[in-house]
Amino acid sequence: MIGAKLRLLAWFVSLATLISACSPAIRPDEAAFDRPIQTSSAPPAARDDIPAPYRPQSPTPTSVPTPTPMPKAFALNLYEEGDFVPQYTFEWCVAASIQIMHNLIDDKGARTWADRVQQGELWEMARARSSNSFNGANPLGWAKVLNESGMGPYAVVSIADYEEALQTAARAIADTGRPVGLVMWRGRHVWVMSGFKSLGDPDQFPEFSVTGIRVQDPLYPYGDDQWGPSPAPNSLLTPKQLATQFVVREPRRWSSNLPTGYMLVLPLAKA
């Protein structure tokens, strides 16, 4: 009888131990049936030390340098049909050049200057305003008549370097819209430069190069045995061709304080 009771007691102890092992380790007062249960899929609590997502920045645009413009062929010519006037005597080259220059400048339809009597009067005017031992009209008188006739301002300049003289003449035509006087044959004759061709626009390229010169020789068609033939009106000469007759002025030809060089009767910008 006692052995049966002991076996029954052992059986209850075993059953109690099994039940306690299967029960959750939580106290009844800690159970919260109305509290949501956190699962592994819930987002983690926010933290200040969590880095922000990486977003690559767009590269800063860099400025592309503007390419340096290259000089292009340029041309300017004041000449129109009927502007040329021949000299009526072998002495009146300055007077004929004044008539030519008037015609090149005038674009308002005024009467063309070509009259022989007028040419003689212009020669006398230029001669009276010149000073040389040959009693002729020289570049100083030429410039003064141009100024007094309303075509100026003009000034006589002498430039030692040939290429610089051509650039100076071309730039003056481009800036003023008026022709340039060329003192030829060491000071014995004159032509008119009415235009030019160049590599580069003088207004955009200070170091442009003159490749062609438009000329009016009032002695055409006669020319000279020593210096060569006269080019036809509105001829385009290369610098090399022009250099056969456009040479430095001979200082002893007439009195002047200007240094030896290539002489121009140059239009100036109006004040």
Side-chain angles (χ1 to χ4, degrees):
M1 186 68 176
I2 294 174
K5 291 181 179 180
L6 290 175
R7 287 192 298 270
L8 180 61
L9 179 62
W11 183 82
F12 277 115
V13 171
S14 298
L15 179 62
T17 302
L18 180 61
I19 293 173
S20 63
C22 296
S23 300
I26 185 170
R27 295 182 303 183
D29 59 347
E30 292 177 346
F33 301 104
D34 58 347
R35 184 183 303 169
I37 299 175
Q38 181 173 318
T39 65
S40 60
S41 62
R47 292 174 52 183
D48 294 337
D49 59 349
I50 298 178
Y54 174 74
R55 294 182 177 87
Q57 296 182 350
S58 300
T60 303
T62 57
S63 59
V64 179
T66 303
T68 303
M70 297 297 294
K72 299 180 180 179
F74 180 84
L76 176 61
N77 191 10
L78 306 177
Y79 180 83
E80 293 182 0
E81 193 68 30
D83 288 342
F84 177 79
V85 181
Q87 60 186 82
Y88 295 113
T89 76
F90 285 103
E91 294 181 327
W92 290 359
C93 59
V94 167
S97 295
I98 294 172
Q99 289 180 316
I100 293 171
M101 295 173 84
H102 169 272
N103 298 338
L104 292 168
I105 294 170
D106 177 41
D107 57 358
K108 299 179 181 178
R111 180 175 62 88
T112 299
W113 284 15
D115 184 73
R116 181 188 178 100
V117 173
Q118 181 196 44
Q119 190 175 114
E121 293 172 349
L122 291 170
W123 183 77
E124 291 291 351
M125 288 177 63
R127 180 185 178 188
R129 290 157 178 76
S130 301
S131 58
N132 65 46
S133 58
F134 296 94
N135 295 320
N138 67 27
L140 297 177
W142 183 6
K144 290 178 181 178
V145 173
L146 290 172
N147 293 336
E148 292 177 18
S149 301
M151 290 180 267
Y154 273 87
V156 181
V157 301
S158 182
I159 301 174
D161 182 76
Y162 179 67
E163 291 185 1
E164 182 182 351
L166 295 184
Q167 286 180 323
T168 300
R171 187 178 292 110
I173 295 175
D175 289 345
T176 68
R178 288 177 279 141
V180 173
L182 304 178
V183 180
M184 313 294 290
W185 303 357
R186 303 193 189 282
R188 297 180 58 192
H189 187 45
V190 300
W191 291 5
V192 175
M193 178 176 171
S194 58
F196 64 94
K197 285 190 174 183
S198 63
L199 183 59
D201 183 341
D203 291 338
Q204 299 179 8
F205 296 91
E207 298 303 322
F208 73 101
S209 58
V210 178
T211 58
I213 304 94
R214 293 282 182 184
V215 296
Q216 318 294 327
D217 178 3
L219 192 57
Y220 177 81
Y222 300 103
D224 182 81
D225 292 340
Q226 176 184 353
W227 294 99
S230 295
N234 197 37
S235 290
L236 180 66
L237 304 184
T238 66
K240 184 176 180 179
Q241 290 172 324
L242 180 67
T244 62
Q245 301 194 50
F246 182 44
V247 296
V248 295
R249 175 188 61 89
E250 199 172 86
R252 65 182 178 83
R253 283 295 304 169
W254 45 275
S255 58
S256 170
N257 294 325
L258 294 172
T260 299
Y262 298 92
M263 186 164 288
L264 308 171
V265 178
L266 195 70
L268 307 177
K270 295 183 179 180

